Structure formats: structure tokens, C-alpha cells
Amino acid sequence: ADSVLIQPDIEYLIGDYTGKPAPFTLERPERSLLAITHNEKLISAHTSEFLIEEYSAEGNLLKTFYTEIDRVPLDKNEIVEDRFSHNRQLLMVHQAAEYPDRWPALYSMISDDKNRIWVSAITPDLDELEWWVIHPDGTHSVFKWPAGRRILLVKDGYAYVVEKDEMGYDQVTRYKILESMNEG
């Protein structure tokens, strides 16, 4: 079980702040994802590929779910200019870093009260995520969802989502889940 819990750290990029290293992360970094199902299985993934592993409470690998996914090209100039053009120092720090060629495959992962695994994949439209709902029998459903509406919990037929209200504050909104999402 110990080896399952030993996961690689988040990937940092290193910029230059007046001659000193300045670590930072991408908005969607490469990192480990862990979740625990209601039937006490440990789910593990790394955002670098679409490989989901399910382990018993004792740490034995029970099953995997893998799908080939094209990682979205990452345009350094688009990220740096769009986000930091207003601040010269931040712009210089971020311009000095080496960026990966592609975004990670995955962004987040949760498990719901029916032991389904919800995994979000990064799409070419960075304002949207592709959610995969993997059922215990291995079938799956896929749907697109706005990236600005973070699904944090799925329970009792509802998805609990953090989104911005009209004033820009985070609020939790509850959405009814269509149970027609059974087969993939």
C-alpha cells in the first residue's frame, strides 16, 4: 500500500527573477491525482496520461482504465502574453521558463457515491473540459462541461459545482445528474 501512496510531486516550471530561480506551476500542471471510492478502493492517476488505476485498501492493483488521448499543444506565448502582459516583472519571470510542448491529458478526478470515477480531460478549448464518468463495470459516459464550473462532489444524484456568481464570488451550485449517463 505504501507504494500507491508515494506519488510524484507537482511539476514546477522555473523562471528567472532578477537572476534567482522563481518556481511556479501552470494553471493545469502535471501532478498526481488520488481519490477514494465509497467502497474503499484507492483510485490513482497522473495527469500526464489517461491511465486510471484502482487499488484495494491493502494496495493491490485491482483494475485499470486506459484510453489513448491526444494531449493538447501548449502555446507558451499565448499563456505568457495573455496572462502577464500587464505586469512586466511577472512577464519576464514567465518568459524565461521552459514550457512543455503539450498540456497534461487530465485535470481532475473524483469518485461519487455510486463508485463511479469522474475524470476531467483537457480539451483544445481551454474554457471547456471533457468529463469521463467511468462506471464500476468499466463502461463510461463522456460529456463537455465549462472549465469555470469545477465539479467537486457528486452525491445523491447531484453534482456540486463551484462557479462564479454575477459579482465574481465563488458559490456552490447543485445540478441534477441525468441518470441516462449509463453506457459509453
Side-chain angles (χ1 to χ4, degrees), residues 9-15 22-31 79 83-84 94 99 103:
D9 198 1
I10 195 167
E11 289 284 324
Y12 286 90
L13 304 180
I14 308 296
F24 64 94
T25 62
L26 288 172
E27 175 184 342
R28 296 171 179 183
E30 286 199 11
R31 62 192 174 113
I79 295 171
R83 293 193 59 208
F84 303 106
H94 285 80
Y99 284 72
W103 286 103

Side-chain angles (χ1 to χ4, degrees), residues 99-139:
Y99 284 72
D101 294 335
R102 301 194 170 273
W103 286 103
L106 304 178
Y107 179 62
S108 64
M109 179 176 69
I110 59 173
S111 175
D112 70 11
D113 58 344
K114 294 186 177 178
N115 298 309
R116 295 176 295 202
I117 303 163
W118 294 60
V119 182
S120 62
I122 296 173
T123 68
D125 177 356
L126 294 180
D127 292 329
E128 184 175 73
L129 293 169
E130 183 174 78
W131 280 89
W132 291 62
V133 181
I134 305 166
H135 303 264
D137 66 1
T139 61

Side-chain angles (χ1 to χ4, degrees), residues 14-174:
I14 308 296
D16 182 280
Y17 181 74
T18 63
K20 296 185 177 105
F24 64 94
T25 62
L26 288 172
E27 175 184 342
R28 296 171 179 183
E30 286 199 11
R31 62 192 174 113
S32 297
L33 302 173
L34 292 172
I36 298 175
T37 64
H38 281 297
N39 61 356
E40 299 183 1
K41 304 290 190 294
L42 180 65
I43 309 300
S44 172
H46 193 272
T47 59
S48 61
E49 65 179 330
F50 202 127
L51 172 64
I52 312 299
E53 297 176 322
E54 181 180 299
Y55 293 88
S56 68
E58 295 76 35
N60 299 315
L61 181 63
L62 300 174
K63 59 185 169 182
T64 61
F65 181 90
Y66 174 80
T67 190
E68 189 71 36
I69 192 167
D70 287 331
R71 290 175 55 168
V72 176
L74 186 151
D75 182 348
K76 172 185 175 176
N77 294 328
E78 191 175 288
I79 295 171
V80 173
E81 296 299 325
D82 288 354
R83 293 193 59 208
F84 303 106
S85 60
H86 67 283
N87 183 315
R88 187 174 184 281
Q89 188 61 53
L90 283 175
L91 181 65
M92 290 171 46
V93 166
H94 285 80
Q95 282 177 332
E98 271 191 48
Y99 284 72
D101 294 335
R102 301 194 170 273
W103 286 103
L106 304 178
Y107 179 62
S108 64
M109 179 176 69
I110 59 173
S111 175
D112 70 11
D113 58 344
K114 294 186 177 178
N115 298 309
R116 295 176 295 202
I117 303 163
W118 294 60
V119 182
S120 62
I122 296 173
T123 68
D125 177 356
L126 294 180
D127 292 329
E128 184 175 73
L129 293 169
E130 183 174 78
W131 280 89
W132 291 62
V133 181
I134 305 166
H135 303 264
D137 66 1
T139 61
H140 65 277
S141 307
V142 181
F143 66 95
K144 305 265 185 180
W145 186 256
R149 293 181 173 175
R150 296 184 322 264
I151 299 174
L152 296 181
L153 174 71
V154 177
K155 184 176 180 182
D156 296 330
Y158 291 93
Y160 293 85
V161 176
V162 175
E163 56 191 352
K164 301 274 184 213
D165 67 12
E166 58 278 351
M167 300 288 291
Y169 294 105
D170 284 346
Q171 70 176 12
V172 175
T173 306
R174 185 174 80 160

